[in-house]
Amino acid sequence: MPDIIKVKSGSMYEERNSYSRLVAVGDMLFVANTAGVDYRTREISPDVAGQARRALQTIEGALKAVGSSLADVVRIITHVPDRANMAPVALVLGEVFKGIDPAATMACTPLARDDLKVEFEVTAIRGVSKQPQEYLRISV
């Protein structure tokens, strides 16, 4: 049976709702929905791009805690309540994941609080970024 590691980021909801920011099962890494809150200061940017960057920093920190990085992300699901914010979030994702190119989904869906403008859920495989990769194009 693989080792299981659970990572907490300091969100008050992790304790109250009994979940982990990241659960590692062997090399499979599952990151819970992550908002752009600074869990040390409890501050949140009013700007959607600022929230997106902060959330990705939190995810990056959780991945680093288990010897991984954003380069190992194979799937990202983005939740944005306001369609008007989809383009600025997509620009941040394009910057952060350039050359990584995970499978990606963006959904327009409500979040737990009105001040939250974006959340990300990530799946990564530790070490996958060091494996040979091939790009294929399909025609439909």
Side-chain angles (χ1 to χ4, degrees):
M1 187 158 118
D3 291 336
I4 297 173
I5 301 168
K6 297 180 180 181
V7 177
K8 303 283 187 174
S9 66
S11 167
M12 65 182 172
Y13 298 107
E14 291 170 352
E15 294 308 316
R16 188 179 79 191
N17 299 347
S18 299
Y19 74 93
S20 298
R21 178 66 43 209
L22 179 148
V23 175
V25 181
D27 288 331
M28 293 295 302
L29 311 174
F30 304 94
V31 182
N33 264 7
T34 301
V37 177
D38 183 325
Y39 294 117
R40 290 182 314 254
T41 65
R42 305 288 185 232
E43 293 177 359
I44 186 165
S45 172
D47 173 63
V48 68
Q51 286 189 28
R53 284 187 179 87
R54 179 67 235 173
L56 292 169
Q57 288 171 351
T58 300
I59 291 167
E60 184 176 33
L63 291 168
K64 282 183 179 179
V66 296
S68 186
S69 71
L70 291 174
D72 289 334
V73 171
V74 296
R75 179 155 177 75
I76 185 163
I77 301 171
T78 304
H79 304 276
V80 181
D82 184 349
R83 279 189 195 138
N85 286 328
M86 291 178 129
V89 169
L91 285 174
V92 171
L93 290 171
E95 293 168 10
V96 172
F97 289 100
K98 186 163 188 69
I100 300 169
D101 303 328
T105 300
M106 188 177 294
C108 200
T109 181
L111 300 177
R113 296 179 0 204
D114 290 338
D115 59 339
L116 300 178
K117 298 181 181 199
V118 62
E119 286 188 352
F120 302 106
E121 178 183 347
V122 164
T123 304
I125 303 171
R126 189 176 15 226
V128 76
S129 60
K130 299 188 181 3
Q131 301 297 316
Q133 298 181 31
E134 180 179 0
Y135 284 83
L136 302 175
R137 297 227 181 250
I138 62 170
S139 66
V140 290

